[in-house]
């Protein structure tokens, strides 16, 4: 395509936006509202997925050692656990360290047990894949000098099921919003093009090719998508910044964290802009197609 022709298409697309002011406003409004909903909900669901991942990764097993086990037996048990497939980390804590932790948490009353410590030495074990926790717990429970293994049996399976359902529901809702956005914007752009069908028919009658007619409308779709994404980008950035500033210090000591403002906000904004452009182009392309047969 010649540069002069392309320049004309750009010029015509801008003129058309200005000439069809109310239709342009309607299209931009539809893009803005739908992208704002998609942007806010996507940011929410991605943070919920992050929280779900944090919860899964915090799952660990407490492996309690038999009271009769000496240092050599404890070291042997630690080596056996380390050799099991799927073990990510293993930390050893003596019963004295466990009692010290209880004293720090519940006060000096717990110091009464220092002379006759009823606690056991233990290993804290984490699996590479949290969903393998039950399998590892079963294997560790059969090892010599293992007294018991605690990992929230039953509750862990329900937790994983709930997290999986939440991820799937979130994905379905996001795709549903995207489909709704494309449907609404396509129909809005279609109304704009229907109002200009005479213009399209005249261009076809004087010999214009389908792409010569189509390109200005596709460019209009791009401008509509870009303009319509400005407010959602600004709103999502403002809202997420304030949410992050409020939540980050309050979650500082928690194992659950929200996604950091940067680079997440740039990624979500790029996604909003891309969705705006893609939806605008798709809506224009599909809507103008039916008028290209004269």
């Amino acid at each position: 395509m010649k540069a002069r022709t392309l320049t004309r298409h750009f010029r015509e697309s801008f003129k058309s936006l200005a000439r069809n002011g109310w239709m342009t406003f309607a299209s931009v409004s539809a893009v803005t509202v739908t992208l704002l909903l998609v942007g806010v909900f996507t940011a929410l669901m991605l943070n919920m997925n992050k929280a779900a991942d944090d919860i899964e990764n915090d799952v660990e097993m407490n492996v309690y050692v038999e009271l009769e086990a000496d240092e050599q037996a404890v070291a042997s048990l630690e080596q056996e656990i380390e050799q099991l497939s799927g073990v990510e980390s293993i930390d050893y804590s003596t019963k004295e360290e466990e009692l010290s932790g209880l004293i720090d948490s519940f006060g000096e009353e717990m110091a009464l047990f220092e002379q006759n410590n009823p606690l056991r030495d233990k290993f804290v074990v984490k699996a590479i894949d949290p969903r393998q926790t039950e399998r590892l717990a079963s294997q560790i429970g059969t090892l010599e000098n293992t007294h018991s293994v605690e990992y929230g049996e039953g509750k862990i399976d329900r937790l994983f099921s709930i997290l999986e359902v939440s991820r799937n529901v979130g994905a379905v809702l996001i795709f549903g919003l995207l489909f709704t956005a494309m449907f609404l914007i396509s129909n809005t752009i279609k109304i704009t093009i229907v109002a200009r069908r005479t213009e399209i028919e005249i261009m076809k009658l004087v010999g214009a090719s389908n792409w010569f007619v189509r390109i200005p409308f596709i460019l209009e779709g791009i401008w509509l998508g870009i303009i319509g994404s400005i407010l959602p980008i600004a709103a999502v950035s403002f809202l997420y910044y304030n949410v992050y500033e409020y939540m980050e210090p309050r979650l500082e000591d928690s194992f659950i964290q929200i996604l950091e403002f940067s680079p997440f906000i740039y990624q979500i904004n790029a996604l909003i802009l891309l969705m705006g452009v893609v939806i605008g182009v798709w809506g224009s392309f599909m809507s103008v197609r039916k008028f290209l047969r004269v």
Side-chain angles (χ1 to χ4, degrees):
M1 183 181 296
K2 294 180 181 180
R4 202 166 114 192
T5 304
L6 187 59
T7 301
R8 177 202 172 277
H9 288 323
F10 273 90
R11 186 173 61 250
E12 287 300 314
S13 67
F14 286 121
K15 282 182 180 180
S16 179
L17 290 178
R19 189 166 55 242
N20 300 278
W22 282 110
M23 288 299 183
T24 298
F25 176 76
S27 298
V28 168
S29 298
V31 173
T32 298
V33 171
T34 49
L35 287 182
L36 181 59
L37 289 174
V38 170
V40 170
F41 195 79
T42 300
L44 177 63
M45 290 310 304
L46 289 176
N47 274 281
M48 288 180 64
N49 285 341
K50 171 69 163 58
D53 290 338
D54 290 340
I55 292 172
E56 283 188 347
N57 293 330
D58 194 60
V59 173
E60 57 189 24
M61 295 166 274
N62 290 324
V63 181
Y64 294 97
V65 182
E66 293 285 8
L67 292 174
E68 299 79 14
D70 55 21
E71 290 186 8
Q72 185 176 356
V74 171
S76 176
L77 177 59
E78 180 175 13
Q79 186 176 16
E80 287 182 274
I81 295 174
E82 287 178 336
Q83 290 175 347
L84 291 175
S85 173
V87 172
E88 179 182 40
S89 65
I90 177 170
D91 296 309
Y92 177 62
S93 178
T94 65
K95 61 182 182 179
E96 289 77 21
E97 291 171 335
E98 290 296 298
L99 181 59
S100 177
L102 289 176
I103 293 173
D104 292 339
S105 300
F106 299 103
E108 290 300 321
E109 292 83 358
M110 301 301 296
L112 296 173
F113 295 101
E114 287 184 325
Q115 298 301 320
N116 187 20
N117 189 344
L119 302 178
R120 296 175 182 271
D121 298 340
K122 77 171 185 179
F123 293 102
V124 179
V125 182
K126 293 187 72 171
I128 295 174
D129 179 1
R131 297 178 183 277
Q132 296 298 315
T133 298
E134 184 176 3
R135 176 186 64 79
L136 280 173
S138 177
Q139 290 179 324
I140 293 172
T142 63
L143 298 178
E144 188 178 359
N145 293 311
T146 296
H147 175 266
S148 61
V149 181
E150 295 181 2
Y151 64 97
E153 186 176 3
K155 295 179 181 178
I156 292 295
D157 293 333
R158 288 196 297 274
L159 173 63
F160 286 154
S161 297
I162 292 171
L163 294 178
E164 187 65 28
V165 169
S166 69
R167 286 193 181 98
N168 293 335
V169 169
V172 169
L173 288 175
I174 288 175
F175 281 114
L177 274 173
L178 284 173
F179 178 79
T180 303
M182 295 179 74
F183 177 77
L184 289 175
I185 294 168
S186 175
N187 279 331
T188 305
I189 294 174
K190 189 180 294 182
I191 293 171
T192 304
I193 294 175
V194 167
R196 297 162 60 189
R197 63 185 179 275
T198 303
E199 176 186 341
I200 297 173
E201 290 170 357
I202 291 172
M203 292 174 69
K204 286 292 294 177
L205 287 171
V206 298
S209 67
N210 285 348
W211 276 107
F212 189 89
V213 176
R214 186 180 283 134
I215 288 176
F217 288 99
I218 291 176
L219 289 173
E220 284 182 48
I222 293 174
W223 310 143
L224 291 173
I226 292 174
I227 296 170
S229 66
I230 292 174
L231 183 58
I233 286 174
V236 170
S237 298
F238 176 79
L239 289 172
Y240 195 75
Y241 175 79
N242 284 278
V243 169
Y244 181 80
E245 288 294 306
Y246 178 81
M247 295 296 296
E248 197 274 335
R250 288 166 175 78
L251 296 174
E252 188 174 2
D253 297 324
S254 172
F255 65 89
I256 297 178
Q257 300 292 321
I258 65 174
L259 293 165
E260 292 187 13
F261 182 77
S262 176
F264 173 69
I265 199 62
Y266 301 112
Q267 295 167 347
I268 199 75
N269 286 344
L271 179 63
I272 291 172
L273 180 61
L274 179 63
M275 285 191 297
V277 171
V278 170
I279 289 172
V281 170
W282 181 83
S284 296
F285 186 88
M286 297 302 293
S287 300
V288 78
R289 185 177 57 175
K290 65 180 292 186
F291 298 106
L292 294 179
R293 302 185 188 93
V294 177

